[in-house]
Amino acid sequence: MRVLTKGNIALAEGAIQAGCKFYFGYPITPQNDIPEYLAKHLPRVGGTFIPAESEIASINMILGASAAGARAMTSSSGPGISLMQEGFSYLAGSELPAVIVNIMRIGPGLGGIAPTQGDYNQAVHGGGHGDYRNIVLAPASCQEMFDLTIKAFELADKYRNPAMILADAMVGQFQEPCRLTPKDPVIIPQKPWALTGAKGRPAQLIKSLFLGPGEMEIHNLDLKKKYDTMEQNEVMYETRHLDDADIMIIAFGTPSRIAKTAIQFLRQEGVRAGLLRPITLFPFPSKAIHEYSRRIHKVLVVEMNTGQMLRDVQLACHNGTKVYFYGRPGGGIPYPDDIMAQVKKIL
Amino acid sequence: MQAVFTRPKTLKDTPTHFCPGCTHGIAHRIVAEVIDELSIREKTIGIPGVGCCVFLYKYLDIDVLEAPHGRAPACATGMKRVLPDRIIFAYQGDGDMASIGTAEVIHAANRGENITVIYINNSVYGMTGGQMAPTTLLGQQTTTTPYGRNFRTEGYPIRMAEMLATLEGVAYSARVALHKPKYVMQAKKAVEKAFTMQINEMGFSVVEMLSTCNTNWRVSPTEAIDKLENEMIPYFPLGVFKERTGKDFL
C-alpha cells in the first residue's frame, strides 16, 4: 500500500525499517522532520533518541553506538555536517559503519535553508582529514528516500564504512505516494568485531591511531582496496532515452527530475536528449559515463551549485566529448524551460 | 610462600610508554585492580581520549574504543545506550576533558549518563609537548605560557570536579591524588565508588586524579611530587564533592 509521505519522513521510517534503533542529532533546518519523527517513533521499536548537545556530540555518540554493534544514524544539514567531518574521518579510519543524512541547505556559512547541491564536494571528495571516502547515495524521490536509507545501512555494514544520504531540501520536503515497507527482507549481519566486553574471547580494540613505521600506509592501502571494491560492485545509476540520444544530460537529485520533464518536452519537439542520473555519487558511475560519451559527444551537467559534480563528469568522459554546465547555486531551482534552452543552445 | 602482592589480571605485563616519574601508570593500576575486585573485566569497555591516555588498550586487558580528542563522554553515551548492562568508562586527560571536550562531559553528566569518567589532571598538555591546559596553575610556565600563566590573559585554572558536582545528573564527583601511598589508597576507594555507582545505575560518576608530569613541568620526579603536594592540592582541593545515596533522580 502506498501512502502520501514527505521525503524526510520516508527517510526516517526507512531507518526504522532498516533496524536502526539509535538516532542522535541536533536540530537544523531543513531536516528537522527526521529527528522529530524518530523522537516519536523510535520508542515503539525499543529504540533510543538523544537530542545531542551539538553535531559534534551526535556523530561521536554514533561512533560509540556503532562500535557496540548497533545500527545508528544521525542527520543534519550544511553547517551541522561540517561540524561532523572529524567524526566521519574517525568512523572511516576506525572502519565503523554509520548512516549520516545531509539534507543540503545553501552555503557557504549560514547561507540559507533553500535547496542546493553545494555539499557535493564535501560529501564525495572528503571534508574530514585523511585519505578516506564516504559511500554517498543521492535520492531523487520520496520512495528513494526510503529505499536508499535501507540500502545505506546495508552498504555501511557490508564495508564497515560511513554511508551518507545526500539529498537537497526539495527531496526532503516534497510529498509523494510512497511504499513504506522494504522491497527485500532486512538482514542485519553479525558483528563479531563489535565491542561488547571481553566475555569468553580476547579483548578487542577499535582505533584509528597507527604510529608504528609503515602501519598507517598499510591501513590506508587496505582502505583503498575496499573503496576499489565498492567502485566495482556498488555503482548505481539510472538512464533514460540514451540509446538514440544526441545529448546526455547528467544530473542527480532534484535537477534530475526537472531534466526528465525537459527531455520529455524536447523529444516532443524532435530533439533527441537523454539522461544519466548517478544514484551513487561515491562510487561514481565513471565507467558508464565514459561508455555513453564514446557515442554521445555532447554532455550537459545540471546541478544546483557552481559545478561540483561537473569535475567528476569531465574526468569520466571520453576524449573529445564536449561537456557543458548549467548551475543554479543560490537556492533557485532550474525550470524545464531553462534546461531546454541550454540544450538548444548546445545542439 | 604466600603471595601478598601481585599484578592485577586486568593489567597487562608490558613496558609502559609513560615518562619515568609520571604517576599516570598508577591510575591504570588502580583501575585494573578495581575491575578485578568488582569482577567486571568481561563486561567493561574503556574509551580513552587523545594524549598520554590514548594507549589504554596497551595496558588494560579489556575492550577499548579510541575516541576523538575530547569526545570520549559522547562515545561512551552512544555505547552505553546500546549496552546498558556493560560498565563503560571514559579515560581522559585535562587537555582532553577540561578544554576541547567540556561540552561533551558537561552534557553527558547533566543527562545523568550511567557512565564513569576517569580524569587525569596534570595541569599541562603532556603528549603534545607541554603546552598550557585549562588546568595550568597561575604563574606556571609552559611552552605556550613562557612567562607563566597570567589570569589577565589566560584566565584561571578550571576546577572540573567541583563544577560537575553542581549538575543534577551527577551521582559521584571526587578529586584524588596519585603521588603518595596514602593518596593512592584514597584514589582507589574513589574509583571503586565510581564504578559501584555505575553498577548500581546511580548516574554519572567522575574521579579527577591529580597526576605529575615531571617532563613537561621540567623538574625531577621527586620535585614533581613536592610540586603536586604544595602547588596543585592548594588550588585543586581533594575530596568528594557529590555523592548520591539513592536513586532520587529517577
Side-chain angles (χ1 to χ4, degrees), chain A residues 53 196-197 201 204 206 208, chain B residues 63-64 66 68 71 86 111:
Chain A
E53 63 269 26
T196 53
R201 59 156 170 79
Q204 294 186 158
I206 292 178
S208 58
Chain B
D63 277 8
V64 170
E66 229 178 50
R71 318 300 173 214
R86 303 315 137 90
R111 282 190 303 267

Side-chain angles (χ1 to χ4, degrees), chain A residues 197-199 201-205, chain B residues 7-14 28 31-32 35-36 40-46 55-64 89:
Chain A
K199 192 174 185 181
R201 59 156 170 79
Q204 294 186 158
L205 167 66
Chain B
R7 176 181 296 279
K9 266 191 195 163
T10 298
L11 195 66
K12 290 184 188 173
D13 186 3
T14 183
H28 279 64
V31 171
I35 289 173
D36 280 5
I40 53 172
R41 193 194 77 84
E42 293 191 327
K43 60 175 193 173
T44 297
I45 303 162
F55 293 116
L56 190 75
Y57 58 87
K58 286 195 176 184
Y59 310 117
L60 297 193
D61 188 22
I62 55 170
D63 277 8
V64 170
F89 72 96

Side-chain angles (χ1 to χ4, degrees), chain A residues 22 24 48-54 56-57 60-61 63-65 67-70 86 90 94 96 194-209 211, chain B residues 12 41-47 50 54-55 57 60-69 71 74-79 81-83 86 100 103-105 107-108 111 113:
Chain A
F22 299 90
F24 316 122
T48 298
F49 168 85
I50 302 179
E53 63 269 26
S54 70
I56 297 174
N60 284 288
M61 289 175 188
L63 187 87
E86 178 197 45
Y90 272 80
S94 313
L96 285 172
L195 305 181
T196 53
K199 192 174 185 181
R201 59 156 170 79
Q204 294 186 158
L205 167 66
I206 292 178
K207 67 168 183 144
S208 58
L209 181 72
L211 284 179
Chain B
K12 290 184 188 173
R41 193 194 77 84
E42 293 191 327
K43 60 175 193 173
T44 297
I45 303 162
I47 308 183
V50 168
V54 73
F55 293 116
Y57 58 87
L60 297 193
D61 188 22
I62 55 170
D63 277 8
V64 170
L65 168 68
E66 229 178 50
H69 200 192
R71 318 300 173 214
C75 295
T77 296
M79 185 172 273
R81 296 300 183 106
V82 177
L83 303 167
R86 303 315 137 90
I100 193 170
E104 283 75 12
V105 76
H107 289 279
R111 282 190 303 267
E113 295 293 342

Side-chain angles (χ1 to χ4, degrees), chain B residues 2-250:
Chain B
Q2 193 195 348
V4 291
F5 190 76
T6 56
R7 176 181 296 279
K9 266 191 195 163
T10 298
L11 195 66
K12 290 184 188 173
D13 186 3
T14 183
T16 166
H17 78 287
F18 295 115
C19 302
C22 170
T23 52
H24 198 146
I26 296 169
H28 279 64
R29 182 179 176 103
I30 288 172
V31 171
E33 283 181 4
V34 168
I35 289 173
D36 280 5
E37 285 164 22
L38 296 173
S39 303
I40 53 172
R41 193 194 77 84
E42 293 191 327
K43 60 175 193 173
T44 297
I45 303 162
I47 308 183
V50 168
C52 292
C53 62
V54 73
F55 293 116
L56 190 75
Y57 58 87
K58 286 195 176 184
Y59 310 117
L60 297 193
D61 188 22
I62 55 170
D63 277 8
V64 170
L65 168 68
E66 229 178 50
H69 200 192
R71 318 300 173 214
C75 295
T77 296
M79 185 172 273
K80 185 76 179 187
R81 296 300 183 106
V82 177
L83 303 167
D85 61 337
R86 303 315 137 90
I87 305 306
I88 291 165
F89 72 96
Y91 193 96
Q92 304 182 271
D94 47 84
D96 199 85
M97 195 253 241
S99 190
I100 193 170
T102 34
E104 283 75 12
V105 76
I106 285 173
H107 289 279
N110 194 48
R111 282 190 303 267
E113 295 293 342
N114 192 36
I115 59 172
T116 301
V117 176
I118 305 294
Y119 163 46
I120 311 294
N121 177 2
N122 59 11
S123 79
V124 74
Y125 280 78
M127 195 179 264
T128 46
Q131 295 84 6
M132 191 199 92
T135 46
T136 294
L137 296 170
L138 292 177
Q140 187 181 336
Q141 284 186 323
T142 69
T143 58
T144 51
T145 52
Y147 309 109
R149 181 178 188 166
N150 181 338
F151 69 88
R152 290 190 191 282
T153 45
E154 286 93 39
Y156 297 90
I158 193 165
R159 295 187 184 99
M160 292 302 288
E162 289 89 332
M163 195 166 86
L164 291 170
T166 65
L167 299 171
E168 209 56 53
V170 172
Y172 182 74
S173 178
R175 184 181 292 114
V176 298
L178 300 171
H179 63 304
K180 287 183 179 173
K182 78 164 182 182
Y183 295 117
V184 172
M185 287 164 81
Q186 287 168 5
K188 188 178 165 185
K189 277 196 184 129
V191 172
E192 193 183 339
K193 181 62 113 178
F195 277 90
T196 307
M197 286 280 181
Q198 188 179 158
I199 291 166
N200 295 336
E201 298 176 2
M202 300 285 279
F204 186 91
S205 52
V206 56
V207 179
E208 174 173 342
M209 297 177 158
L210 302 184
S211 183
T212 60
C213 184
N214 43 286
T215 299
N216 288 307
W217 293 357
R218 312 241 162 105
V219 294
S220 71
T222 49
E223 284 168 331
I225 283 169
D226 292 342
K227 252 177 127 61
L228 196 156
E229 176 90 24
N230 300 325
E231 294 175 30
M232 279 188 87
I233 292 180
Y235 190 86
F236 294 111
L238 307 183
V240 177
F241 302 103
K242 185 167 186 190
E243 184 174 343
R244 279 192 188 281
T245 50
K247 296 186 195 180
D248 51 350
F249 58 97
L250 291 177

